[in-house]
Amino acid sequence: MAPTTRSKQSTPAPEGIPESSTTTALSPSLGGTGDVKQRPREGSRSRTREEVWDPKYAVDLATTTVDENVFLFVPNLIGYTRVITAAAALYYIPSHPKACTALYATSALLDAVDGQAARALGQTSKFGAVLDMVTDRCATACLLTFLTRAYPDWSLMFMFLITLDFSSHYIHMYSSLTTGSASHKAVTSDVSKILWYYYNDSRTLFFFCFANELFFVCIYLAKFWQSPITNNFPIPAFLFDLAVEYKFVGTAVQILRNLSWPQVVGALTFPICAGKQIINIVQFWKASKILVGIDLAERQVARETAAAKARGQ
């Protein structure tokens, strides 16, 4: 069966399928008689007839193609493992913190492995990218949902973080698709320097994501692990000497006496987690501006097209 596109021109038939069997689409592409400024962008592509596919054709192709199975790509098999380990972690979350943490950490660390495997094996796929993002969002949301019960006084904050995480990624993904970007990570520096630094350096991306998850895990573990860290790591004697001379050192020593190790690690990762939330806000705002700009461009084209028709052109 031949592909059906949504553009005015027909899609070239794949090898072995007659060109005459392709059909034309109904939806017009952005353009028209208006003077809409467009320019090619790094990591982006226009929505040409070769890149917009009919859903029915895509479903049939995924069902009948035997040459290769994207569902069984190695990175996607790793993705399924992430889903299983995350689900197992959530199963143990109410009463087995060690098992939950180990499984949750395994799922998070595999997030870095599947991307490397995809690039090394030439098995990058849209399905894998979305599976990865959905797994991240759902796992984090479930952990934060548990924290709303563990810390009821902070439940509104955790619900806000869930909302911000989902909404910023959804609107960013939608704006990427609307502008024809090859990937939601393909952000140029002239759109947002913050997002460009965040997405275009895999080490920065992993660092922020890992520290963000670690902070939430530490909050979770603090509910179960309340033994002071000084039980295992005594405070050095010289700090007590300094505490006599400097009040702020004395205050720090007193705080360390009562903190558990999840609280200490949580305090260290909190600034990075806060930075991640700022990135989410920037991502939401920039994507909103992109969509509004596209709305304005389309409305301009519609007005100029209507005016041209009224003049009989």
Side-chain angles (χ1 to χ4, degrees):
M1 181 177 59
T4 303
T5 67
R6 299 178 188 274
S7 63
K8 288 185 177 181
Q9 296 173 314
S10 62
T11 302
E15 183 177 355
I17 300 178
E19 179 71 26
S20 59
S21 64
T22 60
T23 59
T24 57
L26 301 177
S27 303
S29 59
L30 179 61
T33 59
D35 183 20
V36 180
K37 293 184 178 179
Q38 296 176 316
R39 59 193 176 96
R41 307 186 61 80
E42 180 183 354
S44 300
R45 63 177 186 269
S46 61
R47 290 182 172 274
T48 63
R49 59 184 181 278
E50 292 86 2
E51 296 162 341
V52 183
W53 300 95
D54 176 70
K56 179 62 168 59
Y57 170 74
V59 170
D60 291 342
L61 194 64
T63 305
T64 60
T65 299
V66 296
D67 294 339
E68 58 179 356
N69 191 336
V70 175
F71 288 114
L72 298 181
F73 278 4
V74 171
N76 295 338
L77 294 177
I78 296 174
Y80 307 146
T81 304
R82 289 194 63 210
V83 173
I84 294 171
T85 52
L90 296 173
Y91 175 80
Y92 287 115
I93 197 171
S95 55
H96 296 82
K98 291 183 179 179
C100 172
T101 301
L103 290 165
Y104 195 90
T106 300
S107 179
L109 291 173
L110 285 175
D111 188 17
V113 176
D114 60 1
Q116 293 179 349
R119 290 185 290 272
L121 299 173
Q123 293 184 342
T124 57
S125 63
K126 293 178 176 62
F127 170 73
V130 174
L131 175 65
D132 206 35
M133 178 179 287
V134 170
T135 302
D136 290 338
R137 305 285 72 75
C138 291
T140 303
C142 290
L143 176 58
L144 290 174
T145 300
F146 178 82
L147 293 180
T148 62
R149 189 179 73 173
Y151 302 92
D153 292 342
W154 293 91
S155 59
L156 286 177
M157 175 60 70
F158 292 128
M159 285 189 284
F160 168 75
L161 293 176
I162 294 172
T163 303
L164 177 61
D165 192 38
F166 270 100
S167 60
S168 68
H169 284 83
Y170 176 83
I171 194 170
H172 176 65
M173 176 68 81
Y174 189 86
S175 68
S176 298
L177 292 173
T178 304
T179 56
S181 181
S183 168
H184 70 282
K185 296 180 181 179
V187 180
T188 53
S189 59
D190 58 342
V191 172
S192 172
K193 288 186 177 180
I194 292 177
L195 297 181
W196 182 80
Y197 283 119
Y198 177 68
Y199 278 119
N200 284 272
D201 188 335
S202 58
R203 293 168 298 183
T204 301
L205 181 63
F206 177 79
F207 177 74
F208 271 93
C209 292
F210 181 79
N212 181 67
E213 294 297 323
L214 182 58
F215 173 74
F216 294 139
V217 169
C218 285
I219 296 177
Y220 161 71
L221 288 175
K223 196 68 178 178
F224 299 91
W225 207 302
Q226 299 178 351
S227 176
I229 194 172
T230 52
N231 289 353
N232 303 105
F233 301 96
I235 298 175
F238 75 90
L239 287 180
F240 287 103
D241 296 335
L242 291 175
V244 176
E245 299 182 31
Y246 303 101
K247 184 177 180 180
F248 75 93
V249 177
T251 302
V253 169
Q254 188 61 35
I255 293 175
L256 285 174
R257 283 176 179 270
N258 302 313
L259 289 181
S260 64
W261 73 262
Q263 291 174 321
V264 172
V265 177
L268 294 174
T269 55
F270 171 75
I272 305 168
C273 178
K276 178 68 166 63
Q277 309 317 311
I278 293 173
I279 290 172
N280 283 343
I281 293 173
V282 171
Q283 182 169 258
F284 184 94
W285 176 237
K286 289 294 182 179
S288 299
K289 292 176 71 175
I290 289 171
L291 292 177
V292 168
I294 292 173
D295 284 334
L296 293 172
E298 290 180 339
R299 290 172 67 85
Q300 176 187 342
V301 169
R303 286 193 298 268
E304 294 178 356
T305 301
K309 288 182 178 179
R311 294 192 300 266
Q313 297 180 358

